[in-house]
């Protein structure tokens, strides 16, 4: 090549899901069109109308807090850092994505960030290791002042909320603490007034303030709402409050009629929110949206306190004796099955709910019907696979489930769940009619790609779990590797598997298997530092490769002449396929192990994912990187190039799925070679192979049902994953126990991401909707 190659940034095309762990991390932009949320080390701005995503990049670790200014001009965020280091806080211009300011003032973790109502200041709250609150002047690009947020008689503060009428005031709350701070810009300091709770002890999880700055409503871990009067003057020009914040009362729900108590305590009987109140949102009509730790989302209104005999005589003693009073009445209710972390209300009356399980739900305000919009993995993604020659969908394997995703809509098309087990590998059969999965219970399960029903299972494949799988192009041989180091070859025919051979050479877990495109040999990589090339026709070892590393991946080059390996020694190995001799090694990472490797269909480029959270694109012949992608918040576990060569998909240990735009031309035609199928016997072997494939297809037609599912049509017939409706036929692709029984729909239809219960409505078919089809939100 002429000239020096300059390493460029790999362009992030889109990402799947969002991080629901930060409280109030899901934010509706003031324009009502964009939704701002974190995922990994990026902040995404999602446009509901165009379905386009923009990204704000600059963080180096997990984002722990995010905020948007009242006008929508600025976006601010803070992150988590390693022990002993300070965590950066970044401010961006929303329209252009330009980084305005970046500073480090907190140790280890930024707990919360918020813009003042005047947008002149960015206020940040540090975590447990920091214990301080910092005010940053955006105009002067400097830290104005700070103070300790720790109180000797209370726990740590985790909640930060600015007021609406006074730009110099904000509220910090936490474990038995609520402090109203006032900024003195001239003297460059802040002064705090502690709220008086009397003898009541509460841990505040979330806080909202009304538009007039009169009251603050605090959700507690006890499951009730504290109403606190802020005691501001009626004149907004007066910044300092007249008195310290005072507690008005702790309110909970009236119990349902069937649960009401009888006797003397009937007047004080209340119903608390299970697992605490984790999110609050004040509606303009005086009602309030409440989200709890057990997934309940309710619209409540405050009932006027009844004044009767004896109420005025001793109000304080009554409140202290029974601080939680039933002054909230539930108007509408829904359940999203996991802890609510964010609640936002859109202009068209749709409530957006973010949960700790990284799921985003849309709840219609008039009837509280629930529809799942976004979802993603919440734990390590162990494997990733594309169907052969089809780039519209891909599958991922993780704990408890296997999921199929749409590339165009970024939606989950299918979820296959096997409870209490972890899926270690997933692949599609060559004809796209099967999804083959391996599990840590030692079984291999094969599912239909459209409905997710279990076709058959090969039980007790390995006694220490199945760690890797691969299938030949003709779909008749299935190879599995186990945690004990054995490689087993299975004959797959007529929806069952028969053991053909057991190959014993590895002394450690098999981490990767790749079958040659001709199907006569395969390479296996193991944690014992060896890679073995097997003859899977005669079931013998052809060659073995040694290295002082733990091999994590091994692949055939598309021309079949060379082998590629990577491992914990940080090097990419190029090996001769004929005798297993080492050709060369190039350093794939300067600091950490390489976990995954893939080759483009044309064989000209290599893509790697490493533990330093980077995705790299390499030139195969030159052995130099051309592009680097940074954005994952966890170790990159898998990378795959799409069959059309247009984009790269990478997964990480935090459950993130990133789609990168492939920077080079998408030339998918593999180069010819002496061992390619197109050059065998000068074309005679090619014709012979085509005749063999044709005869196998004709024989399969006689044994298999006429209706055969195929992955190539999954994106046309499915919207999202399978689930169950209100007492109707089940279409959940759920495997219970040993995986020999499944629940499928009578008509084979596929339903949306709806949940059980009376508040759930299907949006993809007419089951449970009385024949009505409801258009999915945002489509």
């Amino acid at each position: 090549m002429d000239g020096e190659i300059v390493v460029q940034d790999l362009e992030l095309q889109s990402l799947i899901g969002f991080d629901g762990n930060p409280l109030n991390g899901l934010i509706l932009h003031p324009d009502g069109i964009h939704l701002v949320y974190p995922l990994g080390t990026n902040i995404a701005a999602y446009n509901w109308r165009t379905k386009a995503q923009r990204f704000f990049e600059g963080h180096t670790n997990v984002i722990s807090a995010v905020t948007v200014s009242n006008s929508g001009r600025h976006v601010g965020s803070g992150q988590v850092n390693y022990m002993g280091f300070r965590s950066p806080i970044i401010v961006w211009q929303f329209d252009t994505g330009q980084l305005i300011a970046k500073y480090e003032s907190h140790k280890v973790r930024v707990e919360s960030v918020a813009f003042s109502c005047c947008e002149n200041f960015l206020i940040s709250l540090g975590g447990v290791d920091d214990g301080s609150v910092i005010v940053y002047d955006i105009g002067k690009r400097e830290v104005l002042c700070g103070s300790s947020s720790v109180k000797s008689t209370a726990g740590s503060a985790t909640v930060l909320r600015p007021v609406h009428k006074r730009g110099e005031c904000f509220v910090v709350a936490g474990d038995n603490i609520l402090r109203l701070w006032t900024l003195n810009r001239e003297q460059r300091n802040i002064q705090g007034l502690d709220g008086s709770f009397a003898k009541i002890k509460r841990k505040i999880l979330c806080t909202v303030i009304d538009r007039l700055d009169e009251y603050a409503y605090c959700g507690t871990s006890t499951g009730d709402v504290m109403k606190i009067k802020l005691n501001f003057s009626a004149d907004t020009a007066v910044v300092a409050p007249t008195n310290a914040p005072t507690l008005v009362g702790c309110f909970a729900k009236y119990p349902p009629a069937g649960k009401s108590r009888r006797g003397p305590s009937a007047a004080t009987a209340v119903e608390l929110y299970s697992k605490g109140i984790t999110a609050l949102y004040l509606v303009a009509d005086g009602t309030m949206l409440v989200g709890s730790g057990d997934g309940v989302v309710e619209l409540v209104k405050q009932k006027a306190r009844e004044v009767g005999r004896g109420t005025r005589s001793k109000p304080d003693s009554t409140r202290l004796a029974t601080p939680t009073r039933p002054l909230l009445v539930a108007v509408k209710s829904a359940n999203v099955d996991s802890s609510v972390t964010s609640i936002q209300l859109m202009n068209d009356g749709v409530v957006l709910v973010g949960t700790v399980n990284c799921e985003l739900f849309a709840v219609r305000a008039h009837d509280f019907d629930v529809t799942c919009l976004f979802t993603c993995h919440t734990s390590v993604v162990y494997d990733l696979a594309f169907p052969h020659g089809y780039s519209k969908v891909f599958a991922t394997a993780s704990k408890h489930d296997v999921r199929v995703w749409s590339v165009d809509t970024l939606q989950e098309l299918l979820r296959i769940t096997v409870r209490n087990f972890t899926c270690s590998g997933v692949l599609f059969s060559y004809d796209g009619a099967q999804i083959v999965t391996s599990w840590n219970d030692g079984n291999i399960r094969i599912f239909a790609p459209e409905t997710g029903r279990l076709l058959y299972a090969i039980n007790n494949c390995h006694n220490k779990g199945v760690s890797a799988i691969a299938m030949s192009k003709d779909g008749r041989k299935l190879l599995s590797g186990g945690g004990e180091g054995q490689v087993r070859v299975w004959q797959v025919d007529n929806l069952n598997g028969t053991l053909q051979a057991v190959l014993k050479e590895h002394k450690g877990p098999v981490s990767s298997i790749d079958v040659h495109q001709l199907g006569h040999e395969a390479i296996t990589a193991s944690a014992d530092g060896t890679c073995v090339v097997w003859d899977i026709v005669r079931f013998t070892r052809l060659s073995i490769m040694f290295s002082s590393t733990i091999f994590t991946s091994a692949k055939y080059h598309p021309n079949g002449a060379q082998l590629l390996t990577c491992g914990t020694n940080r090097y990419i190995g190029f090996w001769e396929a004929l005798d297993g001799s080492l050709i060369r090694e190039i350093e794939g990472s300067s600091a950490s192990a390489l976990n995954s490797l893939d080759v483009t269909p044309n064989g000209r480029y290599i893509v790697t994912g490493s533990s330093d959270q980077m995705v790299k694109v390499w030139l195969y012949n030159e052995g130099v990187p051309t592009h680097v992608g940074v954005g994952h918040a966890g170790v990159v576990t898998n990378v795959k190039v799409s069959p059309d060569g247009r984009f790269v998909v990478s997964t990480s240990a935090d459950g993130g799925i990133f789609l990168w735009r492939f920077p080079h031309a998408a030339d998918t035609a593999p180069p010819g070679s002496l061992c390619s199928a197109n050059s065998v016997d000068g074309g005679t072997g090619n014709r012979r192979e085509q005749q063999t494939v044709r005869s196998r297809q004709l024989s399969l037609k006689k044994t298999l049902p006429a209706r055969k599912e195929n992955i190539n049509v999954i994106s046309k017939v499915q919207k999202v994953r399978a689930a169950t409706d209100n007492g109707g036929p089940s279409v959940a692709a759920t495997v219970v126990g040993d995986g020999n029984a499944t629940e499928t729909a009578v008509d084979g239809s596929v339903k949306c991401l709806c949940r059980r219960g009376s508040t759930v409505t299907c949006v993809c078919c007419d089951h449970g909707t009385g024949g009505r089809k409801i258009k999915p939100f945002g489509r």
Side-chain angles (χ1 to χ4, degrees):
M1 295 184 63
D2 297 333
E4 184 179 355
I5 298 177
V6 179
V7 179
Q8 302 177 9
D9 292 333
L10 194 61
E11 181 184 354
L12 182 60
Q13 178 176 329
S14 57
L15 51 84
I16 293 179
F18 81 105
D19 189 358
N21 291 287
L23 292 178
N24 299 316
L26 176 68
I27 302 175
L28 179 65
H29 193 269
D31 62 7
I33 301 174
H34 291 87
L35 194 62
V36 180
Y37 53 87
L39 179 60
T41 61
N42 299 308
I43 294 178
Y46 181 78
N47 190 314
W48 285 108
R49 294 179 180 175
T50 63
K51 314 304 177 190
Q53 289 179 320
R54 292 194 297 117
F55 304 100
F56 301 93
E57 302 175 355
H59 285 288
T60 59
N61 210 327
V62 179
I63 296 175
S64 57
V66 61
T67 184
V68 178
S69 61
N70 291 336
S71 65
R73 291 184 300 173
H74 297 148
V75 176
S77 61
Q79 73 171 53
V80 179
N81 211 341
Y82 299 103
M83 188 66 67
F85 294 90
R86 293 188 178 273
S87 300
I89 298 174
I90 303 178
V91 182
W92 288 280
Q93 188 79 22
F94 179 78
D95 295 333
T96 62
Q98 181 182 359
L99 193 146
I100 298 177
K102 183 176 182 179
Y103 63 98
E104 298 177 356
S105 297
H106 297 285
K107 298 178 182 178
V108 184
R109 178 185 178 93
V110 178
E111 195 68 43
S112 181
V113 291
F115 288 99
S116 61
C117 62
C118 61
E119 301 189 17
N120 294 327
F121 313 109
L122 178 65
I123 309 155
S124 58
L125 177 65
V128 178
D129 300 290
D130 183 77
S132 65
V133 57
I134 302 293
V135 179
Y136 182 83
D137 193 321
I138 300 176
K140 295 183 179 180
R141 305 289 195 272
E142 65 176 2
V143 175
L144 195 60
C145 58
S147 179
S148 174
S149 62
V150 180
K151 184 180 177 182
S152 59
T153 59
S156 59
T158 57
V159 180
L160 171 65
R161 180 69 65 173
V163 299
H164 297 284
K165 299 292 184 181
R166 299 162 177 84
E168 297 83 0
C169 298
F170 57 93
V171 172
V172 171
D175 189 2
N176 197 34
I177 180 175
L178 186 140
R179 183 174 293 176
L180 178 59
W181 294 90
T182 304
L183 169 67
N184 190 327
R185 190 170 185 176
E186 289 74 18
Q187 299 181 4
R188 299 175 68 95
N189 63 12
I190 51 176
Q191 297 178 350
L193 284 176
D194 290 326
S196 176
F197 296 165
K199 296 181 180 179
I200 296 176
K201 306 291 184 181
R202 290 290 187 274
K203 182 178 181 179
I204 298 175
L205 303 179
C206 57
T207 301
V208 291
I209 301 174
D210 61 11
R211 290 293 175 182
L212 299 177
D213 295 342
E214 187 176 1
Y215 294 102
Y217 297 87
C218 305
T220 68
S221 61
T222 310
D224 52 11
V225 179
M226 299 176 66
K227 185 176 181 180
I228 299 173
K229 188 173 183 180
L230 297 179
N231 293 321
F232 278 115
S233 173
D235 186 5
T236 57
V238 180
V239 177
T242 57
N243 292 303
T246 56
L247 177 66
V248 176
C250 296
F251 306 142
K253 293 187 297 180
Y254 278 90
K259 295 184 179 180
S260 59
R261 303 175 183 175
R262 296 181 180 179
S265 61
T268 59
V270 297
E271 182 178 359
L272 300 174
Y273 287 93
S274 178
K275 299 183 181 180
I277 297 176
T278 54
L280 291 173
Y281 187 91
L282 289 178
V283 188
D285 59 0
T287 58
M288 182 166 54
L289 290 165
V290 179
S292 67
D294 63 346
V296 173
V297 180
E298 287 188 337
L299 180 66
V300 299
K301 64 179 181 179
Q302 185 175 341
K303 186 177 181 180
R305 185 177 302 179
E306 298 179 359
V307 180
R309 251 185 322 185
T311 304
R312 295 181 180 274
S313 59
K314 46 181 181 178
D316 293 337
S317 62
T318 303
R319 187 174 73 246
L320 294 178
T322 55
T324 298
R325 304 189 120 198
L327 288 181
L328 299 180
V329 179
V331 180
K332 298 173 183 177
S333 179
N335 197 316
V336 294
D337 294 342
S338 57
S339 179
V340 178
T341 56
S342 305
I343 295 179
Q344 294 288 302
L345 181 62
M346 299 192 72
N347 298 331
D348 54 358
V350 175
V351 180
L352 299 178
V353 179
T355 68
V356 74
N357 283 348
C358 301
E359 294 179 324
L360 173 60
F361 294 91
V363 182
R364 293 187 301 189
H366 66 278
D367 56 4
F368 261 51
D369 281 344
V370 180
T371 303
C372 187
L373 304 178
F374 289 158
T375 181
C376 67
H377 291 288
T378 58
S379 59
V380 183
V381 180
Y382 293 100
D383 201 7
L384 168 69
F386 275 96
H388 175 74
Y390 190 63
S391 302
K392 294 294 184 181
V393 299
F394 62 91
T396 54
S398 185
K399 188 176 181 181
H400 301 308
D401 55 41
V402 176
R403 307 189 190 192
V404 180
W405 306 89
S406 170
V407 173
D408 296 331
T409 64
L410 306 180
Q411 294 290 327
E412 183 181 295
L413 299 175
L414 181 68
R415 183 184 301 183
I416 304 170
T417 302
V418 181
R419 296 185 179 91
N420 302 322
F421 295 116
T422 299
C423 184
S424 58
V426 61
L427 60 87
F428 293 92
S429 61
Y430 189 81
D431 59 357
Q434 296 176 352
I435 300 177
V436 185
T437 60
S438 61
W439 301 81
N440 66 342
D441 61 346
N443 296 341
I444 296 176
R445 298 179 174 91
I446 293 87
F447 301 93
E450 295 180 30
T451 58
R453 61 185 177 90
L454 180 67
L455 298 177
Y456 63 98
I458 307 175
N459 297 321
N460 304 320
C461 298
H462 296 270
N463 56 15
K464 290 188 178 180
V466 185
S467 56
I469 54 173
M471 181 175 279
S472 61
K473 182 184 293 187
D474 59 6
R476 301 179 65 87
K477 284 186 179 180
L478 178 64
L479 280 72
S480 64
E484 75 286 349
Q486 293 184 4
V487 178
R488 299 192 175 188
V489 183
W490 306 86
Q491 181 74 25
V492 180
D493 192 13
N494 294 330
L495 299 183
N496 57 42
T498 305
L499 181 63
Q500 281 191 314
V502 178
L503 308 177
K504 300 179 180 179
E505 193 74 37
H506 295 296
K507 305 301 181 183
V510 179
S511 56
S512 174
I513 304 176
D514 190 31
V515 180
H516 194 279
Q517 60 181 350
L518 295 182
H520 65 289
E521 65 180 44
I523 180 173
T524 59
S526 174
D528 61 358
T530 63
C531 286
V532 179
V533 179
W534 304 93
D535 185 335
I536 57 176
V537 177
R538 296 177 297 171
F539 308 116
T540 58
R541 188 189 78 185
L542 296 177
S543 60
I544 187 170
M545 295 161 282
F546 296 94
S547 181
S548 57
T549 182
I550 297 176
F551 283 111
T552 56
S553 182
K555 297 280 292 185
Y556 278 98
H557 190 270
N559 64 13
Q562 292 185 1
L563 303 171
L564 296 172
T565 62
C566 67
T568 56
N569 63 350
R570 305 179 287 108
Y571 283 91
I572 303 173
F574 295 74
W575 308 78
E576 184 67 45
L578 184 62
D579 57 359
S581 60
L582 181 63
I583 301 174
R584 61 171 175 169
E585 282 185 329
I586 58 175
E587 187 177 15
S589 175
S590 59
S592 58
L594 298 178
N595 300 321
S596 183
L597 175 146
D598 196 22
V599 187
T600 57
N602 56 29
R604 299 175 183 173
Y605 307 99
I606 310 172
V607 181
T608 59
S610 55
S611 296
D612 56 4
Q613 305 171 6
M614 291 185 183
V615 177
K616 294 183 180 180
V617 179
W618 303 75
L619 291 173
Y620 182 85
N621 293 329
E622 292 78 2
V624 294
T626 60
H627 292 76
V628 176
V630 179
H632 283 285
V635 172
V636 179
T637 55
N638 294 279
V639 289
K640 282 288 188 299
V641 182
S642 62
D644 59 6
R646 297 180 182 274
F647 58 92
V648 178
V649 179
S650 60
T651 63
S652 58
D654 61 346
I657 302 175
F658 285 58
L659 279 74
W660 310 86
R661 197 180 309 278
F662 194 72
H664 304 287
D667 182 11
T668 59
S673 68
L674 294 178
C675 60
S676 64
N678 295 329
S679 60
V680 177
D681 297 334
T684 305
N686 186 25
R687 291 193 297 270
R688 186 182 300 115
E689 182 182 357
Q690 291 176 356
Q691 293 174 357
T692 304
V693 172
R694 180 59 179 167
S695 62
R696 287 172 181 171
Q697 291 176 350
L698 293 176
S699 62
L700 285 176
K701 288 183 178 180
K702 300 177 182 178
T703 57
L704 296 181
R707 173 67 174 95
K708 188 176 181 180
E709 298 182 17
N710 197 288
I711 191 65
N712 294 339
V713 297
I714 186 173
S715 58
K716 301 177 183 178
V717 300
Q718 288 186 243
K719 298 299 182 183
V720 278
R721 72 169 166 86
T724 54
D725 61 356
N726 316 333
S730 172
V731 291
T734 303
V735 181
V736 183
D738 60 355
N740 293 325
T742 57
E743 298 175 344
T744 58
V746 177
D747 58 355
S749 61
V750 179
K751 289 177 63 66
C752 67
L753 274 171
C754 299
R755 302 280 181 172
R756 298 178 184 268
S758 59
T759 61
V760 179
T761 301
C762 172
V763 299
C764 297
C765 64
D766 54 2
H767 284 294
T769 60
R772 296 181 296 113
K773 271 199 173 183
I774 301 172
K775 185 179 180 182
F777 177 80
R779 297 194 177 188

